[in-house]
Amino acid sequence: QVQLVESGGGSVQAGGSLRLSCAASGYTLSNYCMGWFRQAPGKEREGVAVIDTDGSTTYADSVKGRFTISKDNAKNTLYLQLNSLKPEDTAMYYCAAEPRSWLLVCRLRPTDFGHWGQGTQVTVSS
């Protein structure tokens, strides 16, 4: 059974940093397109960053230069380093996974992903 468990969220002041982790079990992370998404109250879920099986990455324009997605295949864990946080980054952050063989491209589209974690809250105060 595929399971994703996020951790690392919290409350920080603007300009601060957090590191989110997503522990995967039930499958081999290296065969999956992996991503981080976020959803703020009253807004649609949006893509933050994805990482393909070859290690290539894609970021939303709003987080480029501030966030970094990475993975440790040996630990089956996905990470998101959040730097220079802004109040508008406040949201529930979710990790997601989809078998790479089922996708033409690994991209920032939430509907492409079938496996989701429960989320971890990030709150940034001004």
Side-chain angles (χ1 to χ4, degrees):
Q1 182 179 356
V2 174
Q3 187 173 15
L4 300 169
V5 180
E6 302 96 333
S7 62
S11 297
V12 297
Q13 290 189 327
S17 298
L18 287 171
R19 189 193 195 202
L20 308 184
S21 299
C22 174
S25 60
Y27 66 99
T28 302
L29 186 150
S30 60
N31 295 331
Y32 281 67
C33 168
M34 303 292 298
W36 286 98
F37 297 81
R38 66 186 182 186
Q39 188 167 18
K43 295 187 177 181
E44 294 186 352
R45 190 167 297 188
E46 64 175 356
V48 174
V50 294
I51 185 165
D52 208 335
T53 51
D54 63 359
S56 59
T57 57
T58 303
Y59 294 91
D61 288 343
S62 59
V63 307
K64 281 181 182 177
R66 301 189 298 121
F67 292 6
T68 303
I69 188 172
S70 62
K71 61 179 179 176
D72 186 330
N73 288 337
K75 295 183 178 180
N76 237 25
T77 301
L78 179 72
Y79 302 99
L80 185 68
Q81 179 67 41
L82 296 75
N83 295 330
S84 302
L85 281 161
K86 304 175 181 180
E88 52 263 43
D89 294 318
T90 295
M92 185 71 78
Y93 283 70
Y94 300 89
C95 70
E98 186 68 8
R100 187 58 179 92
S101 59
W102 293 2
L103 299 172
L104 290 177
V105 294
C106 182
R107 59 186 175 179
L108 292 165
R109 180 180 288 188
T111 53
D112 284 354
F113 292 79
H115 303 287
W116 293 85
Q118 293 301 306
T120 185
Q121 178 68 36
V122 172
T123 303
V124 185
S125 58
S126 58

